[in-house]
Amino acid sequence: MDFEFSEEQQLIRNAIKDFTERYVAPGVKERDSKKKFPAEIVKQLAEQGFMGMIHPEEFGGGGVDTISFCLAIEEIARWDASLALTVASHTSLASGHIALAGSKSQKEQYLTPLAKGEKLGAWCLTEPGSGSDASGLKTTAIKKGDHYILNGSKIFITQGSVGDIYVVLAKTDPDKGTKGISTFIVESRWDGIQPGKKMEKLGMNSSDTTEVHFEEVKVPEENLLGEAGKGFVDTMKVLDGGRIGIGALSVGIARGALEESMRYAGERKQFGSPIGDFQAIETKLADMATEIDAARMMVHRAAQLKDQGKPYTKEVSMAKLFASELAVRAANEAVQIHGGYGYIKEYHVERFLRDAKLMTIGEGTSEVQRMIIARELKKEHWG
């Protein structure tokens, strides 16, 4: 697909591909096994300008387009989905929300160090009692003079224990439902903030995931992000952007599954021939390759619409749905192609399968994506 990319996009893809193969791939199995957050690699990515590449240069970012961002996430995810999730969530969610709704002073104070990768961001939406129903959150922020008092708990927070800057959704007017939800920029060092222990997960083991507890946290009123009561509306926009990253991440996992399968199918011999010559295996490989190309095109279509300032809610939900479910299918087929070897940790494909499952859950489950797509279709056809 090189013919579709500009020279700048190809340079970005090649640079991150080279970086990933040099510095990310060699230790990925050990990081997964030890559940170790790759702080040093994240620092190196920041030094290369990859932790804020889509944000304006004025605020420390790279100013590149969203397709370039997709290419970078795909290349990282091909080897290490946990690291790709760190980059995507930091860029699209935490700093992405500040880029969307922040004032100039907030962007100067918070977006700039996030975009430069000097600080890590964490986006705090999900709670123990509210997942897909984001409007059901219980965290509150009550106005007291020139500040808010924040109380509540969040769960499944990426960068929860290593993040420096949290973007937190809370109810400022509990009686108004979604119109009473606001967003705040909160510094992790403030009194009353306590990350929980790291969560034991199926996959994405070197991505930091914790609960975060807020108890009587004093938040200056100037740290209200966007307008009071508009937090839910802004969150839906942020999630649309975040789903582009999840789509690209899913493509990366699926591509890794295909490339590892191609290598193995060419080397592994049974009955005197490489198993890649058997029609059953050929069919699996052909289907994987075809669906990966389709998924990538869907993700890039959504990215292009975003850059053009056009509506893309339906398109990104379609892309996220298709790419995430493909990641699981492709990783599952890769394990099957590898046979018994696919079930042991010596090979990458068992990790791909564990990592892929989160793609169908995070930033809106497959079921939620289908609801969104159907809703948008009814708007188009029924008015």
Side-chain angles (χ1 to χ4, degrees), residues 253-254 257 288 326-336 349 352-353 356:
I253 295 173
M288 289 163 70
L326 162 63
V328 176
R329 284 197 303 276
N332 191 50
E333 290 287 34
V335 171
Q336 194 71 19
V349 292
F352 293 161
L353 182 56

Side-chain angles (χ1 to χ4, degrees), residues 174-210:
D175 296 329
K176 289 187 176 180
T178 57
K179 294 182 179 179
I181 296 174
S182 303
T183 311
F184 299 89
I185 303 172
V186 178
E187 298 182 31
S188 63
R189 61 184 176 85
W190 289 351
D191 292 339
I193 299 175
Q194 183 61 52
K197 66 177 182 179
K198 291 185 179 180
M199 307 186 83
E200 293 290 327
K201 300 171 294 184
L202 172 69
M204 296 289 186
N205 283 333
S206 59
S207 168
D208 182 82
T209 310
T210 70

Side-chain angles (χ1 to χ4, degrees), residues 318-359:
M318 287 178 167
K320 195 269 186 187
L321 171 65
F322 185 78
S324 63
E325 295 197 342
L326 162 63
V328 176
R329 284 197 303 276
N332 191 50
E333 290 287 34
V335 171
Q336 194 71 19
I337 289 168
H338 281 69
Y341 291 107
Y343 202 68
I344 62 175
K345 293 185 182 293
E346 181 182 347
Y347 289 77
H348 293 286
V349 292
E350 65 84 29
R351 173 171 49 84
F352 293 161
L353 182 56
R354 289 187 286 108
D355 289 347
K357 187 55 196 169
L358 179 64
M359 300 296 95

Side-chain angles (χ1 to χ4, degrees), residues 81-120:
S82 291
L83 179 61
L85 182 62
T86 298
V87 177
S89 63
H90 166 87
T91 306
S92 299
L93 300 181
S95 52
H97 202 140
I98 299 174
L100 171 75
S103 65
K104 184 177 181 182
S105 62
Q106 287 173 337
K107 290 176 182 178
E108 289 172 346
Q109 182 177 357
Y110 293 110
L111 179 58
T112 297
L114 287 169
K116 289 181 177 179
E118 296 169 351
K119 294 185 182 295
L120 270 179

